[in-house]
Amino acid sequence: MHLKSLELSGFKSFAKKANLTFTSSITGIVGPNGSGKSNVAEAFRFVLGEQSIKSLRGKRGEDMIWNGGGADAGRAGRASVKLVFDNTRKLFPGIDFDEVSIERVVNRDNSNEYLLNGTAVRLRDVVELLSAAHIGATGHHIISQGEADRILSASIRERREIIEDALGLKVYQWKKLESLRKLERTEENMKQVESLRREIAPHIRFLKKQVEKIEKAQEMRRDLVDIYRGYFAAESAYISAEKERLHREIAAPRKELGELDHELERAKSVLTAAKGKDHKSGLVVDLEGRLSAVRIEKDAVTLDIGRLEGEANANRRAIDKEKDKQKRDEFKTVYLKDLEEVVSSIESFHSLDDAKKLFHEIVSALKAFISKHRGTNDSAFIGEAEKEIESLNNQKAAKEAKQKSLSEAEAKLVKEYEELKAAIDKEKDTNRDAEKDVFRIIARQNEVRSIVTNLNNSIAALAHEEDAMKRELGEAANIAGREAVDYAAHGAVHRDRQAQEAQRHQIEKLKIRIEDAGAGGGTEVMKEYRETEERDAFLARELEDLARAKDELHKLIAGLDARIDYEFKSGIVKINQQFGEFFSLMFGGGKAELFVVREPKRRKKSDTEDLAEALSGADGEAPAEDDEDGPEGIEVNVSLPRKKVKSLMMLSGGERALTSIALLFAISQVNPPPFVILDETDAALDEANSKKYGDMIENLSKNSQLILITHNRETMSRAGVIYGVTMGSDGASKLLSIAFEDAVKVAK
Ligand code: ATP
């Protein structure tokens, strides 16, 4: 036996605490009309979580509370019903206690409380607990007064629900509902994750482009470093080789020049000694003196010209560089957004009356835009450099003029010297040896000096190139980093000057492209790209997980569906066996069976909506016009003995009651509920049928505890314990345990 006791307190007509203990497998409840018997049956439904107040004969929860009767019996503040189960046989498998009490309280503010063994719980907990114990929410095992044929008058869908409930399939339905809800949440989550991914996709694309740019710039920088290293290695090898060569080459002529000076001094001193005696010797010394003065000056001027040329070249290079930079600005990309700003600023000029003024304003706005976006170009620099070149050229021209006049003076002196030489040569005088020496020395000096001058010029030019390289090294370190100037690692490179010049151009081009790539803030962008990508990958993984979870839920639901379907159909077969037997027992023949039909399709609802509605016991939608395949329902087929009646509609009241009872008992036989409450189900039975009913009840009580509210003597006689309900003048119901004989009297 599962039911232990029922305690009512302030519930409906039970003003005072009333307690029913169920010590027998059949408990009868008897009493006069209106004494409160049905209130007891309703107390069961109430405590088991009934949500339809209407079905408890009330409008609001408040109607469940004792509302006062006579003058001295005041209203109660709350109604409570407590049902106590014996759990020693683990009727509630999840609960370890030997006794389980479920209590429901309704307050005057219509709020409800549920208590499980004294601890507050949610309604849902109660419902799930009960469904696990095969005490279903459809209340198929609590038949209220006048509801005996509820199962016959129910829609085919409600019938299916009652039978599913009775077969204990609600547990699976709850699991299915839970899975459907999870599925909905999963799908919702998937949508959210997908939308998040959609949101960040353009950002990732943008960042990716930036990163590609940065990587391209980094690659270009690496290329630049390589080219720089080769370039510097070649340049440095060239400069040191040239330096070495020039110094080597200049050594001999320099030495010779020194020696020639000595020789000349010696020859001159001979001539000076003979000066007084020889007019021509004086001329030679004098001529030599003037010639060497002119040549020294000419050498200096030549060196100056070389220097001026070098400076002019450096200026030219700087101008070229600046011009390259400016040329780039002509193809500079500007943001459309910026241009739109200019347009809107132009649109704000409303002085249309003065077209000329407007035109100027537009032009100056556009000019301001261009100069804002042009790089910091130093046009003044070009002007200055050009001026500088001009001045250098002027100086050079002066020097060249000077050089020319010196050359002319030199030529004149050389001519003089040639004439003097010829004259001296003619004299064939042995004393003229010294003069001849002077002439020879001077001639040789002339040759050697020009060699030395040329070499000096080359040395000076090389020094310029060395300076230029130093500047380039500084620049390279700035633009491409220190490794760009680490050319020693590159090894010696020998390259002709033309190839080196080509490299220099290559370097300039690369520098410009790197600058254009504008790879500033690279690490930030890279970091953001990496992070955003990681987030996206995380979301993708999450999406996969969710898709897997969705798949699993689909499988789970399909499994539950299959299980429900199988259990349901095999349950129907079993019920039909019992139903047929009970039916022919009641009617002395005939046939009755349940069969599964498809309900016409209704408004499209989600599976979750549908199932949640079914589980909560809410009313379904009315069938729609189109009758495609809808959910399955249960139809009842009866065939009475000796009658042609086939439709339920055509049964008499008694026949309906008998058919319902047969069906209810059949259902209860297949999957016996812990208890069954029958409120005057036997009201319509005649004596013969009351007897059969009594037999069936006894049979049923083997597996389920029965609580029978009845006026029927036969039924009463089958009860082990009988409670009498009476109502005093205060309108409050009272309970008392009575003997069968008294019960017969009380019932009347
Ligand atoms: P019958 O044999 O005719 O079916 P019954 O014994 O089943 O009668 P119930 O229907 O259980 O009688 O009892 C109804 C009684 O309970 C009515 O007298 C009604 O006034 C009373 N009642 C119902 N709700 C309340 C309430 N909130 N406060 C007080 N009395 C109530």
Side-chain angles (χ1 to χ4, degrees), residues 18 55 75 115 118 176 186 191 208 278 305 319 407 451 470 551 573 600 617 663 699 733:
S55 80
R75 306 194 315 161
L115 300 145
K176 185 181 166 187
T186 305
K191 265 189 216 142
K208 191 169 177 202
D278 192 332
I305 289 171
I319 287 172
S407 290
I451 290 169
K470 273 183 199 146
D551 254 22
V573 172
L663 179 52
N699 206 27
S733 299

Side-chain angles (χ1 to χ4, degrees), residues 12-13 32-39 57 63-68 145 680 711 727 731:
K12 289 207 165 184
S13 56
N33 291 137
S35 60
K37 301 184 298 297
S38 293
N39 291 344
R57 293 182 296 167
D63 295 337
M64 298 300 111
I65 306 171
W66 163 247
N67 208 20
Q145 197 174 358
E680 294 187 39
H711 291 288
M727 188 176 271

Side-chain angles (χ1 to χ4, degrees), residues 274-284 432:
K275 206 175 175 182
K277 295 176 265 171
D278 192 332
H279 168 65
K280 280 201 177 85
S281 292
L283 281 180
V284 169
R432 295 291 175 222

Side-chain angles (χ1 to χ4, degrees), residues 730-748:
D730 57 357
S733 299
K734 280 174 200 66
L735 259 174
L736 58 150
S737 181
I738 51 172
F740 173 67
E741 284 70 29
D742 297 328
V744 178
K745 272 183 252 156
V746 167
K748 295 274 156 67

Side-chain angles (χ1 to χ4, degrees), residues 81-152:
V81 176
K82 183 155 100 181
L83 185 58
V84 182
F85 291 91
D86 180 349
N87 195 36
T88 48
R89 281 183 292 153
K90 291 281 161 281
L91 173 64
F92 302 101
I95 297 184
D96 274 341
F97 297 100
D98 284 346
E99 204 175 85
V100 172
S101 76
I102 296 170
E103 186 175 357
R104 179 179 178 181
V105 179
V106 63
N107 299 297
R108 284 243 171 246
D109 62 1
N110 294 324
S111 66
N112 281 274
E113 296 160 43
Y114 297 88
L115 300 145
L116 179 64
N117 281 354
T119 307
V121 291
R122 296 168 305 166
L123 166 63
R124 207 193 139 166
D125 300 321
V126 173
V127 172
E128 281 178 20
L129 184 78
L130 291 171
S131 71
H134 297 290
I135 305 170
T138 54
H140 64 279
H141 55 304
I142 303 177
I143 308 301
S144 295
Q145 197 174 358
E147 272 200 343
D149 65 346
R150 182 160 77 100
I151 193 154
L152 294 189

